[in-house]
Amino acid sequence: MSAYPSPSAEALREELQQNSENDHVGHTLLFENAKVKVWHITLQPGERIHYHRHNYDYFWTVLQDGQGVSNQADGSQVSFTFQKNQTSFQNIVQQGSAIHDLQNTGDQILEFITTELKY
């Protein structure tokens, strides 16, 4: 169980509605051209990045070990244990889009580079 409080189910539903079109998948947009968007995400222990929509296939790389939990648009929740340099590809285009949040449930900073493929 997480040592950090999670928002209530009602608060998550409200946030999901408010952010259903939010396409800022990171904190800082590092680079963008016609083919890619590169984002940096840093979450302090207990911090969350709000719901956001992925419209493109993307991959993320973890910059240091950590733990997190992600609430999905369907109400399910996925827990993660991340390892430094771990990379994962997400095939979104076939699904149409994907909406989720991410909370750092570990005791260290959780940091990612996420690259969206805009084709």
Side-chain angles (χ1 to χ4, degrees):
M1 179 141 193
S2 171
Y4 301 101
S6 294
S8 69
E10 182 178 331
L12 286 172
R13 281 191 298 275
E14 289 176 14
E15 182 185 310
L16 176 59
Q17 287 180 333
Q18 292 171 354
N19 288 291
S20 64
E21 298 300 321
N22 174 17
D23 65 355
H24 290 193
V25 305
H27 291 116
T28 305
L29 181 61
L30 299 174
F31 177 82
E32 181 176 11
N33 66 18
K35 294 185 177 186
V36 300
K37 280 183 167 183
V38 180
W39 296 91
H40 182 247
I41 302 162
T42 301
L43 296 171
Q44 297 294 324
E47 186 178 8
R48 285 180 61 243
I49 186 168
H50 295 290
Y51 279 107
H52 53 276
R53 174 183 294 272
H54 290 274
N55 295 311
Y56 306 109
D57 292 344
Y58 70 98
F59 63 92
W60 48 258
T61 300
V62 180
L63 301 181
Q64 54 192 10
D65 294 350
Q67 295 180 329
V69 65
S70 178
N71 295 292
Q72 309 298 301
D74 66 4
S76 64
Q77 193 175 69
V78 180
S79 295
F80 296 96
T81 298
F82 299 107
Q83 295 179 345
K84 183 178 179 177
N85 298 325
Q86 176 184 356
T87 300
S88 180
F89 179 79
Q90 306 298 312
N91 189 348
I92 298 302
V93 174
Q94 290 180 347
Q95 301 174 45
S97 65
I99 301 173
H100 69 103
D101 72 350
L102 180 63
Q103 181 174 9
N104 180 350
T105 58
D107 58 4
Q108 297 181 38
I109 294 172
L110 189 55
E111 190 173 13
F112 294 87
I113 297 293
T114 297
T115 303
E116 296 180 287
L117 308 173
K118 296 170 56 177
Y119 52 84

